[in-house]
Amino acid sequence: MSVAGLIFSNIHDSSLPELTAKRSIASVPFGCRYRLIDFPLSNMVNSGISKIGIITHNNYGSLMDHIGTGKDWDLARRSGGIKILPPFITEFENPTARRQGANPFDALIGVRNFISKCTEDEIVFSYSDIICNIDLAAVLKEHKARGAEVTLITYSYDASQYKNSGGLYTVASNDDGTVSAISLYGRRSGEKNIYTDMAIFNREVLLEMIDSMACDGYNDFYLDVLGKYINKGTVYAHSFEGVFMRISSMDGYFSASMKLLSAEARDELFGNKERPIHTKVRNSAPTLYKEGSKVKNSYIADGCVIEGEVENSIIFRGVKVGRGTVVKNSILLQDTNVGENVKLGCVITDKDVKIRDGRELSGHTTMPFFISKGTTV
């Protein structure tokens, strides 16, 4: 069975406006040295998928810089490899050119030409705002054995804990795994099987769905289009049981990042040698911990200089923490420079932030204090 991949880089940008003002959600930094797209991209590569299209709409400059030729994912190839699919800009090429396009409905119509030229039998979908390490090869094997036209990957959790539950779908399935219903998730208590925004489609069936969307004027790909195929009994669900995180808000980003301080979560995501999470390789000097510095339960990248105290925090490359400074429960993105005698609690800084001496900034786990890129405080 031959398989190609499709990754949506701009879906749900609006759920994290603070970090997506100048980048797509796919290129949002995560876990000291990664970008969010590294997870779906690595999941596909680790499963033997060597042809992957990345659907873009806007703000994709940093994404292109991160992906480059794709060599860090072994995708710098003459045949297949990685392809950035920018938005079409003329009505002649794309009837949805005047529409926003940052949703699966418009995005799929925009890349129909790419899908139609694929010779692969199956297409694997993934959004970029999900974090997990999944064995897609096993899911593909199950998909083929069932003779499925569509397999939706689901996860059991209570989404009512998230402030932004828009775009979440509940999937109900029968004992044999066939999907019986799909619906939008409301603010309800209790665990439900939630669609993870990962799926496998038969390519010909997917083309039929795209043409149906374009001709019939549907508004929701999953409810209006996929719902028609559920009655055929060829849409199946696969339940994923590993660590799964979905970034749906700034406090959701904060919570997901803090989970990396758990050895169990880190091992689940990064400890599998057969399924490593690949990213762009950067050569940096080891972090320098100067005399008097203290670090407790923190995740710190290379290239940092730590003179003060860091506790329960995520520190990216090139960060400097000055003497007498205390950083707790915070996320400092690349090249943040924190001066001396500063106190930070539940703070998230974007890249290239400078915090001068003596400042005291604090947020809360449910509402972290955010400082935008390049800001001096």
Side-chain angles (χ1 to χ4, degrees):
M1 177 173 55
S2 56
V3 186
L6 271 179
I7 298 176
F8 297 77
S9 68
N10 287 101
I11 304 295
H12 299 156
D13 276 5
S14 59
S15 67
L16 199 63
E18 300 91 342
L19 287 170
T20 58
K22 297 182 180 179
R23 58 169 74 92
S24 66
I25 200 163
S27 55
V28 167
F30 183 81
C32 289
R33 59 191 294 262
Y34 301 92
R35 303 288 183 122
L36 290 183
I37 195 171
D38 292 335
F39 294 91
L41 196 53
S42 296
N43 287 334
M44 292 183 184
V45 169
N46 292 337
S47 301
I49 300 174
S50 59
K51 183 177 183 179
I52 301 173
I54 300 178
I55 306 173
T56 61
H57 180 255
N58 62 339
N59 283 346
Y60 52 89
S62 62
L63 177 62
M64 293 179 68
D65 177 67
H66 179 69
I67 297 298
T69 62
K71 66 180 179 66
D72 293 305
W73 296 265
D74 192 27
L75 291 172
R77 306 179 180 215
R78 289 174 180 252
S79 177
I82 197 163
K83 300 182 185 298
I84 302 292
L85 305 175
F88 293 122
I89 59 173
T90 69
E91 287 188 325
F92 178 77
E93 292 171 321
N94 178 16
T96 66
R98 290 184 178 179
R99 301 166 67 169
Q100 182 179 357
N103 60 67
F105 178 83
D106 293 335
L108 286 171
I109 295 176
V111 298
R112 187 194 186 285
N113 189 48
F114 169 80
I115 297 171
S116 66
K117 289 183 177 179
C118 287
T119 58
E120 287 74 15
D121 301 319
E122 312 295 326
I123 304 289
V124 174
F125 272 19
S126 182
Y127 289 4
S128 296
D129 56 344
I130 55 176
I131 299 165
C132 66
N133 189 331
I134 182 173
D135 185 0
L136 284 176
V139 185
L140 284 162
K141 185 177 179 180
E142 181 184 77
H143 173 83
K144 182 179 180 180
R146 285 171 162 175
E149 291 182 332
V150 181
T151 294
L152 303 177
I153 300 174
T154 64
Y155 186 79
S156 179
Y157 78 128
D158 186 358
S160 63
Q161 62 186 295
Y162 291 91
K163 290 182 179 180
N164 181 6
S165 60
L168 286 179
Y169 294 88
T170 300
V171 177
S173 57
N174 302 312
D175 293 339
D176 63 353
T178 55
V179 172
S180 58
I182 182 169
S183 59
L184 280 171
Y185 188 93
R187 295 276 185 140
R188 299 186 295 269
S189 61
E191 290 195 352
K192 301 289 183 180
N193 286 322
I194 304 299
Y195 173 50
T196 62
D197 295 329
M198 293 184 289
I200 303 169
F201 289 82
N202 175 271
R203 188 178 67 89
E204 294 298 331
V205 170
L206 178 58
L207 288 172
E208 289 179 9
M209 291 180 175
I210 294 172
D211 292 340
S212 177
M213 285 192 297
C215 294
D216 299 333
Y218 290 125
N219 294 316
D220 192 296
F221 175 72
Y222 296 103
L223 298 182
D224 296 335
V225 181
L226 186 59
K228 294 170 59 178
Y229 288 79
I230 288 176
N231 295 330
K232 295 172 60 178
T234 57
V235 179
Y236 286 79
H238 172 90
S239 180
F240 175 65
E241 297 180 352
V243 171
F244 179 85
M245 295 179 277
R246 182 177 185 267
I247 307 299
S248 59
S249 61
M250 179 56 79
D251 60 302
Y253 174 80
F254 181 84
S255 176
S257 298
M258 290 297 108
K259 286 181 181 178
L260 295 181
L261 300 179
S262 161
E264 182 180 356
R266 287 199 307 273
D267 289 344
E268 173 76 23
L269 291 174
F270 307 116
N272 192 322
K273 294 182 179 179
E274 295 182 356
R275 301 199 308 270
I277 301 300
H278 307 277
T279 190
K280 182 178 181 179
V281 175
R282 295 179 183 271
N283 295 320
S284 301
T287 289
L288 174 62
Y289 298 91
K290 291 195 173 182
E291 185 177 355
S293 64
K294 296 180 180 179
V295 176
K296 180 180 179 181
N297 192 38
S298 295
Y299 200 23
I300 300 180
D302 294 336
C304 301
V305 177
I306 309 296
E307 296 184 82
E309 297 182 25
V310 178
E311 183 177 344
N312 298 330
S313 297
I314 309 292
I315 309 297
F316 283 71
R317 293 185 178 102
V319 171
K320 296 182 180 179
V321 177
R323 186 181 300 107
T325 289
V326 178
V327 178
K328 292 185 177 181
N329 306 309
S330 296
I331 304 170
L332 308 184
L333 268 58
Q334 184 175 327
D335 295 326
T336 293
N337 191 328
V338 185
E340 298 182 355
N341 301 311
V342 173
K343 293 184 179 180
L344 302 180
C346 294
V347 172
I348 300 176
T349 67
D350 207 331
K351 296 173 63 176
D352 300 315
V353 166
K354 182 176 182 180
I355 302 175
R356 292 177 174 169
D357 297 349
R359 303 301 193 259
E360 185 170 344
L361 306 171
S362 180
H364 189 268
T365 55
T366 59
M367 188 176 290
F369 185 85
F370 176 74
I371 306 175
S372 59
K373 184 177 180 179
T375 299
T376 298
V377 180

